[in-house]
Amino acid sequence: MSAGPGRPVFLTGMMGAGKSTIAPLLAAAWGVPWIDLDVRVARIFGASVAALFARGEAQFRRCEHLSLRLLLAEPGLRARTVVIATGGGVVLDPASRALMHAAGHVVLLEAPIDELTRRLLAPGQRATRPLLAGPDEVVRARLEEKLSDRRSAYGEANMVVDTSGSPQDAVHRLLSAFSEVHP
């Protein structure tokens, strides 16, 4: 199955789960394009995710939803494999979840909270992640709270893949899982 499942694949999960790292690797394995939804949001609205988020999370989620709708309205997109790395909170909007499920496969990338915390405390991570503002000791508690808030929405995913190992291991698990579902 070198061309993928023939429909968009949405990578969801908490920040630090590996969506933006795994998306290009999975796309390369299938020989298909990939899209970072956060990059698309920033391009469409002419501001960084951090700047848009500074206007309020509700406003950012509206921008995110509109960007997703515009993407899925592109001719032919729903009928081909394209890997889409979403923002971690896209699942908070029921309309965005419905769009993703109607258009393709929703995959939850998971890693243990200790691993997420380790990844997110790595140098250079905070500048691009508005929800990581504050002292180090607050990051884990904030992650646990966000994960708790999103657990039921994440639970609607079509597939769950553990990303606690290397990105290559996660891609291998994804390819194996998709080959079982779409032989």
Side-chain angles (χ1 to χ4, degrees):
M1 185 189 71
S2 62
R7 296 177 66 203
V9 173
F10 300 92
L11 301 182
T12 66
M14 285 296 294
M15 59 184 134
K19 300 177 297 291
S20 294
T21 299
I22 292 168
L25 298 174
L26 180 61
W30 281 330
V32 301
W34 75 280
I35 296 164
D36 186 314
L37 189 59
D38 280 347
V39 169
R40 189 173 172 91
V41 170
R43 189 177 66 237
I44 289 170
F45 290 94
S48 69
V49 169
L52 291 168
F53 219 90
R55 300 175 191 165
E57 186 171 359
Q59 175 62 26
F60 175 75
R61 297 294 170 213
R62 284 190 289 277
C63 295
E64 186 177 54
H65 176 75
L66 179 58
S67 298
L68 180 61
R69 271 194 16 231
L70 290 170
L71 173 64
L72 294 175
E74 290 181 12
L77 187 105
R78 293 174 184 239
R80 64 187 176 103
T81 303
V82 58
V83 179
I84 302 165
T86 68
V90 72
V91 297
L92 293 171
D93 178 16
S96 292
R97 286 196 314 270
L99 279 175
M100 292 187 297
H101 280 283
H105 303 278
V106 179
V107 177
L108 172 62
L109 301 182
E110 275 190 330
I113 197 79
D114 288 339
E115 179 63 13
L116 294 174
T117 303
R118 185 191 65 75
R119 291 175 183 174
L120 294 170
L121 290 177
Q125 290 297 306
R126 289 179 192 236
T128 60
R129 299 178 187 273
L131 294 176
L132 293 182
D136 287 0
E137 59 272 7
V138 173
V139 172
R140 182 186 171 96
R142 189 169 292 141
L143 284 173
E144 287 174 337
E145 178 185 340
K146 294 291 179 195
L147 184 57
S148 177
D149 292 346
R150 299 171 183 179
R151 192 169 309 281
S152 66
Y154 283 149
E156 294 179 18
N158 304 111
M159 181 183 300
V160 179
V161 174
D162 178 22
T163 64
S164 58
S166 74
Q168 293 76 14
D169 288 342
V171 169
H172 178 72
R173 284 191 285 280
L174 276 160
L175 292 171
S176 295
F178 271 105
S179 70
E180 291 174 16
V181 175
H182 299 280

